[in-house]
Amino acid sequence: MVIFRVPAVVSLLLLSSYIKKKLPIKYQEIVEATSQKYNLDKYFIYAVISTESSFRENVESHAGAKGLMQVLPGTAVWLNKKYSLNLDTENLFDPKTNIEFGCCYLSFLIQSFENLETVCAAYNAGPGNVDEWLTKYSSDGKTLDKIPYKETEKYVKRVMTRYEIYKDLYN
């Protein structure tokens, strides 16, 4: 019996190809331009989009969040007023509009919370919840030592893991 060994390089290429299919780069022009506009890491945006919608632009959550970055209509209205974005809040399934709102919101959250894991928690559970959690579950006032919502805890881990993979795979 003949046993064929696949060289390690070939194995790594196959694995890399498989991961790229699972974690693709899509909407590259929009993501790169918008991430630059808001001074965000594009790989972080890809990780959020991948986690939120798996790059499906017409998806809507049970809570009413819409599009690639799962933006709530109320959040879009608030962002439009706060930052004078003049975007169509009824058009959240449009990739450019959705990514603009999502990046603007992430930029706001980063200014508010600084720590990316805390920002992810706020993106998922809302900044009000995270403000409360920081008073109860933080040793430094910035980093959450515990996330009391299991869904949010899993969400943060998924985004941060994907973020690291995107950086390693595409950088």
Side-chain angles (χ1 to χ4, degrees):
M1 174 164 107
V2 178
I3 298 175
F4 292 99
R5 292 183 185 239
V6 178
V9 173
V10 173
S11 295
L12 287 174
L13 288 173
L14 290 172
L15 180 60
S16 175
S17 177
Y18 174 78
I19 294 172
K20 283 182 176 181
K21 285 180 184 175
K22 294 293 182 186
L23 297 174
I25 295 281
K26 294 184 179 182
Y27 306 99
Q28 189 169 4
E29 266 186 49
I30 299 168
V31 169
E32 291 191 13
T34 311
S35 65
Q36 285 178 4
K37 177 179 178 179
Y38 290 99
N39 197 29
L40 301 168
D41 186 333
K42 64 185 176 184
Y43 299 116
F44 183 63
I45 304 308
Y46 289 126
V48 170
I49 294 171
S50 173
T51 303
E52 288 287 350
S53 68
S54 299
F55 290 93
R56 294 172 295 150
E57 62 190 60
N58 292 319
V59 67
E60 184 171 353
S61 75
H62 65 278
K66 298 179 180 181
L68 292 167
M69 295 187 75
Q70 290 293 279
V71 176
L72 287 165
T75 301
V77 168
W78 178 78
L79 290 167
N80 242 356
K81 287 179 186 172
K82 181 170 179 65
Y83 297 104
S84 302
L85 298 176
N86 298 317
L87 295 171
D88 183 359
T89 58
E90 299 295 316
N91 201 15
L92 292 177
F93 292 119
D94 172 65
K96 188 170 178 9
T97 301
N98 190 278
I99 291 170
E100 178 86 20
F101 277 126
C103 286
C104 183
Y105 190 50
L106 282 170
S107 177
F108 163 77
L109 293 173
I110 287 170
Q111 291 171 12
S112 300
F113 297 108
E114 299 174 26
N115 176 286
L116 275 188
E117 290 182 5
T118 307
V119 166
C120 288
Y123 196 84
N124 181 262
N129 285 324
V130 170
D131 281 332
E132 182 182 326
W133 297 345
L134 285 170
T135 65
K136 294 179 180 179
Y137 308 112
S138 177
S139 53
D140 64 5
K142 294 180 182 182
T143 307
L144 290 167
D145 301 326
K146 175 185 174 186
I147 298 174
Y149 293 178
K150 287 293 177 202
E151 175 191 332
T152 301
E153 180 181 37
K154 289 177 185 176
Y155 174 83
V156 170
K157 286 179 183 174
R158 277 195 309 269
V159 172
M160 296 309 295
T161 299
R162 290 175 186 202
Y163 178 40
E164 292 303 318
I165 292 169
Y166 271 106
K167 287 191 301 186
D168 289 344
L169 202 56
Y170 293 102
N171 201 0

